[in-house]
Structure formats: structure tokens, C-alpha cells
Amino acid sequence: DAKTTQPPSMDCAEGRAANLPCNHSTISGNEYVYWYRQIHSQGPQYIIHGLKNNETNEMASLIITEDRKSSTLILPHATLRDTAVYYCIVRSTADSNYQLIWGAGTKLIIKP
Amino acid sequence: DSGVTQTPKHLITATGQRVTLRCSPRSGDLSVYWYQQSLDQGLQFLIQYYNGEERAKGNILERFSAQQFPDLHSELNLSSLELGDSALYFCASSTKTGKVEQFFGPGTRLTVL
């Protein structure tokens, strides 16, 4: 079962920052937070992951609270192409199989 | 383009039939994962192979089987197909079993009539 809770949908204006929250209150010390997105039935795309420090790459920033019970994915300047379902996944690197357990995600709609 | 290829892109077949879906991982990736996504649902992990050996099983039906060949491509075999097997089937690959960054193919859309 998914260990994360995300709002089912969100809207954001084009050019503004899109902030997608994720609750993972039962996260344990060796579990990472990963974000993927899926654009309209295409294969999911990896975005970013982190353990406890904030992370940034060319696509997004990941802010993890100090208690690690929640995180926020930030798309700094959203474009129409960012319209997608965004999945927050908690995953331990201690497990032997590394399968990803997917929740329902957040459907992000970027509006012109 | 993730570098993962899947064929065919679309497949339409009848109940009771058997089909084979094919996946070629990114060059150098040893691990292959198969996922099923039914209409408007999240992805369900089916099975993982690493360098030719089965590494993990998820909610894969007994009617489904998979293998990974010496050239690292993988095939997912679905038999005795039912209407409920209609779904998108995704293959993903990663450099090693410990690497969680998975690269997904474009998927195969299976329709069972």
C-alpha cells in the first residue's frame, strides 16, 4: 500500500510556481522521497528524490520538512507542458527489490 | 526519449488469447521492471528481473509470466486473457537493482475484446 497522501488535483497558472504537497507521516529513517510524473498515459518520468536535505535539479526543487513527515515538490515556472499526474513515492533503499509502490498522485493542471 | 523501447505500441485481441509484450532496456541497464496501469488507476508493479534472474514479484497473476534474455531484453507473456486485463503495460529499466531511478518506456496499450 502507498505510504503517501497527495491531493487528487491542483490548478496552477502558467508562469507561476507550482507547489505540490505530499504527506508521508509514517516515513522511516532510511526511506527516501521520490517524485515521478506521468503526462497523459505516457511512461512515467523521474523528477527528483531526497532523504532529508532539500534538493534541486533542472526540473524541480524538493523541500522536505525537518521532521520528514511531509514534502513539497516545486516547479518554479510552470508551463502548459507540466500538466501531468505527479506521484510522490516513499521508498527504502534497504529493501532488496526496489519496486516502486504508486499511489493515486496529484493531477496538476496548468492554465494559460 | 527514455531509451527504453516497447513493442507493440497497441495490441487488440480477444478473450482467451495469449500475447507477448516486448521491452528493450536502456543500454547498460541490467534491471527490468514491468507495471500494469488500468484505466484511470495508478501503476501496479508486476515483476522485476535483474541480469536474467527474477528478483521480485508483485501482484502478478499466474496467467502472466515474464523472462529476461541474455541480451537483457524482456518479454511479458499474458495468457487466457480476460476483459479486465485491458490496460497499459509499462516496462522500466535501471542501471542496477539498487538504483531507484527507473526509466520508463512508452508502454503497450492492450485491449481485450
Side-chain angles (χ1 to χ4, degrees):
Chain A
D1 292 334
K3 301 178 183 178
T4 63
T5 303
Q6 300 176 253
S9 65
M10 292 181 62
D11 293 345
C12 179
E14 187 178 19
R16 303 294 294 271
N19 296 281
L20 291 91
C22 179
N23 183 290
H24 31 80
S25 58
T26 61
I27 194 169
S28 61
N30 65 350
E31 289 184 318
Y32 285 71
V33 179
Y34 290 82
W35 285 84
Y36 281 75
R37 72 179 182 183
Q38 186 177 23
I39 298 173
H40 189 55
S41 299
Q42 296 179 18
Q45 178 188 24
Y46 166 82
I47 302 173
I48 198 168
H49 76 279
L51 182 62
K52 53 184 177 181
N53 297 320
N54 298 337
E55 302 288 344
T56 296
N57 63 20
E58 66 278 4
M59 288 183 67
S61 294
L62 174 60
I63 308 298
I64 302 174
T65 59
E66 191 169 345
D67 63 8
R68 303 210 322 121
K69 293 184 177 182
S70 65
S71 60
T72 300
L73 178 75
I74 301 173
L75 307 178
H77 304 287
T79 71
L80 297 178
R81 288 175 297 179
D82 291 322
T83 292
V85 179
Y86 287 77
Y87 296 96
C88 169
I89 300 167
V90 168
R91 191 69 182 89
S92 170
T93 57
D95 292 350
S96 61
N97 55 31
Y98 302 99
Q99 60 176 284
L100 296 174
I101 307 299
W102 301 74
T106 295
K107 185 171 186 177
L108 176 65
I109 299 174
I110 306 300
K111 298 189 172 182
Chain B
D1 184 2
S2 67
V4 178
T5 61
Q6 291 187 246
T7 57
K9 191 172 182 179
H10 299 280
L11 194 52
I12 301 174
T13 188
T15 55
Q17 295 298 305
R18 172 190 169 95
V19 297
T20 298
L21 313 183
R22 182 188 170 101
C23 168
S24 293
R26 293 189 319 155
S27 177
D29 283 359
L30 299 178
S31 197
V32 170
Y33 310 76
W34 285 97
Y35 293 87
Q36 178 193 55
Q37 186 175 34
S38 300
L39 186 65
D40 293 331
Q41 294 192 12
L43 282 80
Q44 297 290 322
F45 169 73
L46 294 178
I47 197 164
Q48 177 201 358
Y49 279 82
Y50 177 74
N51 203 20
E53 295 187 0
E54 181 184 303
R55 185 57 64 99
K57 263 188 175 180
N59 298 320
I60 188 167
L61 300 173
E62 288 190 7
R63 301 184 285 110
F64 296 180
S65 64
Q67 53 184 328
Q68 186 180 27
F69 294 86
D71 67 354
L72 300 178
H73 91 271
S74 178
E75 293 181 356
L76 179 67
N77 300 295
L78 315 176
S79 61
S80 303
L81 285 168
E82 302 175 358
L83 296 177
D85 297 327
S86 296
L88 273 168
Y89 291 85
F90 290 104
C91 165
S93 72
S94 63
T95 55
K96 56 182 180 179
T97 191
K99 185 73 172 178
V100 182
E101 183 178 339
Q102 298 180 14
F103 296 87
F104 283 78
T108 293
R109 182 175 294 278
L110 173 67
T111 302
V112 182
L113 302 176

